[in-house]
Coordinates of all heavy atoms in Angstrom, one line a residue:
D94 N -18.8 59.3 5.4 CA -20.2 59.0 5.9 C -20.3 59.4 7.4 O -21.3 60.0 7.8 CB -20.4 57.5 5.8 CG -21.0 57.1 4.4 OD1 -21.2 58.0 3.6 OD2 -21.2 55.9 4.1
I95 N -19.3 59.0 8.2 CA -19.5 59.4 9.6 C -19.3 60.8 9.9 O -19.8 61.4 10.8 CB -18.5 58.5 10.5 CG1 -17.1 58.8 10.3 CG2 -18.8 57.0 10.3 CD1 -16.1 58.1 11.3
L96 N -18.5 61.5 9.0 CA -18.4 63.0 9.0 C -19.8 63.6 9.0 O -20.0 64.7 9.6 CB -17.5 63.5 7.9 CG -17.4 65.0 7.8 CD1 -16.6 65.6 9.0 CD2 -16.6 65.3 6.5
T97 N -20.7 63.1 8.2 CA -22.0 63.7 8.1 C -22.7 63.9 9.4 O -23.7 64.7 9.5 CB -22.9 63.0 7.1 OG1 -23.2 61.7 7.6 CG2 -22.2 62.8 5.7
L98 N -22.3 63.1 10.4 CA -22.9 63.2 11.8 C -22.1 64.1 12.7 O -22.5 64.3 13.9 CB -23.1 61.8 12.4 CG -24.1 60.9 11.7 CD1 -23.8 59.5 12.1 CD2 -25.5 61.3 12.0
G99 N -21.1 64.7 12.1 CA -20.2 65.6 12.9 C -19.1 64.9 13.6 O -18.4 65.5 14.4
A100 N -18.9 63.7 13.2 CA -17.9 62.9 13.9 C -16.5 63.0 13.4 O -16.3 63.1 12.1 CB -18.2 61.4 13.9
E101 N -15.5 63.1 14.3 CA -14.1 63.0 13.9 C -13.7 61.6 13.8 O -13.8 60.8 14.8 CB -13.2 63.7 15.0 CG -11.7 63.6 14.7 CD -10.9 64.0 15.9 OE1 -11.5 64.4 17.0 OE2 -9.7 64.0 15.8
P102 N -13.2 61.1 12.7 CA -12.7 59.7 12.6 C -11.5 59.4 13.5 O -10.6 60.2 13.5 CB -12.3 59.6 11.1 CG -13.0 60.7 10.4 CD -13.1 61.8 11.4
L103 N -11.6 58.3 14.2 CA -10.5 58.0 15.1 C -9.7 56.9 14.6 O -8.4 57.0 14.6 CB -11.1 57.5 16.5 CG -11.9 58.5 17.3 CD1 -12.5 57.9 18.5 CD2 -11.0 59.7 17.6
F104 N -10.3 55.8 14.1 CA -9.5 54.7 13.6 C -10.3 53.9 12.5 O -11.5 54.1 12.3 CB -9.1 53.7 14.7 CG -10.2 53.1 15.5 CD1 -10.8 52.0 15.0 CD2 -10.6 53.6 16.7 CE1 -11.8 51.4 15.8 CE2 -11.6 53.1 17.5 CZ -12.2 51.9 17.0
F105 N -9.5 53.1 11.7 CA -10.0 52.4 10.6 C -9.5 51.0 10.6 O -8.3 50.8 10.9 CB -9.6 53.2 9.3 CG -10.2 52.6 8.0 CD1 -11.5 53.0 7.6 CD2 -9.5 51.7 7.3 CE1 -12.0 52.5 6.4 CE2 -10.1 51.2 6.1 CZ -11.3 51.6 5.7
L106 N -10.3 50.1 10.2 CA -9.9 48.7 10.0 C -10.3 48.2 8.6 O -11.4 48.6 8.1 CB -10.4 47.7 11.0 CG -9.8 47.9 12.4 CD1 -10.6 48.9 13.3 CD2 -9.8 46.5 13.2
D107 N -9.5 47.4 8.0 CA -9.8 46.9 6.6 C -9.9 45.4 6.5 O -9.4 44.7 7.4 CB -8.8 47.4 5.6 CG -7.4 46.7 5.8 OD1 -6.7 47.1 6.7 OD2 -7.1 45.8 5.1
Y108 N -10.6 44.9 5.5 CA -10.6 43.5 5.1 C -10.2 43.3 3.7 O -10.8 44.1 2.8 CB -12.0 43.0 5.4 CG -12.2 41.5 4.8 CD1 -11.9 40.4 5.6 CD2 -12.7 41.3 3.5 CE1 -12.1 39.2 5.2 CE2 -12.9 40.0 3.1 CZ -12.6 39.0 3.9 OH -12.7 37.7 3.4
Y109 N -9.3 42.4 3.4 CA -8.8 42.2 2.1 C -9.0 40.7 1.8 O -8.3 39.9 2.5 CB -7.3 42.6 1.9 CG -6.7 42.4 0.6 CD1 -6.6 43.5 -0.3 CD2 -6.2 41.2 0.2 CE1 -6.0 43.4 -1.6 CE2 -5.6 41.0 -1.1 CZ -5.5 42.1 -1.9 OH -4.9 42.0 -3.2
G110 N -9.8 40.3 0.8 CA -10.0 38.9 0.5 C -9.6 38.6 -0.9 O -9.9 39.4 -1.8
C111 N -9.0 37.5 -1.1 CA -8.5 37.1 -2.5 C -8.4 35.6 -2.6 O -8.5 34.9 -1.6 CB -7.1 37.7 -2.7 SG -5.8 37.2 -1.5
G112 N -8.2 35.2 -3.8 CA -8.1 33.7 -4.1 C -6.6 33.3 -3.8 O -6.4 32.3 -3.1
K113 N -5.7 34.0 -4.3 CA -4.3 33.8 -4.1 C -3.6 35.1 -3.8 O -3.7 36.1 -4.6 CB -3.6 33.1 -5.3 CG -2.1 32.9 -5.1 CD -1.5 32.1 -6.3 CE 0.0 31.9 -6.1 NZ 0.3 31.2 -4.8
L114 N -2.9 35.2 -2.6 CA -2.4 36.5 -2.2 C -1.2 36.9 -3.0 O -0.2 36.2 -3.1 CB -2.0 36.4 -0.7 CG -1.4 37.7 -0.1 CD1 -2.4 38.8 -0.2 CD2 -1.0 37.4 1.3
D115 N -1.3 38.0 -3.7 CA -0.2 38.7 -4.4 C 0.3 39.8 -3.5 O -0.4 40.8 -3.3 CB -0.7 39.2 -5.7 CG 0.4 39.9 -6.5 OD1 1.3 40.6 -5.9 OD2 0.5 39.7 -7.8
V116 N 1.4 39.6 -2.8 CA 1.9 40.5 -1.8 C 2.1 41.9 -2.4 O 1.7 42.9 -1.7 CB 3.2 40.0 -1.1 CG1 3.7 41.1 -0.2 CG2 2.9 38.7 -0.4
A117 N 2.6 42.0 -3.6 CA 2.8 43.3 -4.2 C 1.5 44.1 -4.4 O 1.4 45.3 -4.1 CB 3.6 43.2 -5.5
T118 N 0.5 43.4 -4.9 CA -0.8 44.1 -5.2 C -1.4 44.5 -3.9 O -1.9 45.6 -3.7 CB -1.7 43.1 -5.9 OG1 -1.2 42.9 -7.2 CG2 -3.1 43.7 -6.1
A119 N -1.5 43.5 -2.9 CA -2.1 43.8 -1.6 C -1.3 45.0 -0.9 O -2.0 45.9 -0.3 CB -2.0 42.6 -0.7

Side-chain angles (χ1 to χ4, degrees):
D94 275 357
I95 67 172
L96 174 66
T97 66
L98 293 162
E101 174 192 3
L103 298 175
F104 59 85
F105 186 85
L106 288 91
D107 69 280
Y108 171 87
Y109 182 97
C111 59
K113 181 174 176 55
L114 182 60
D115 182 319
V116 175
T118 296

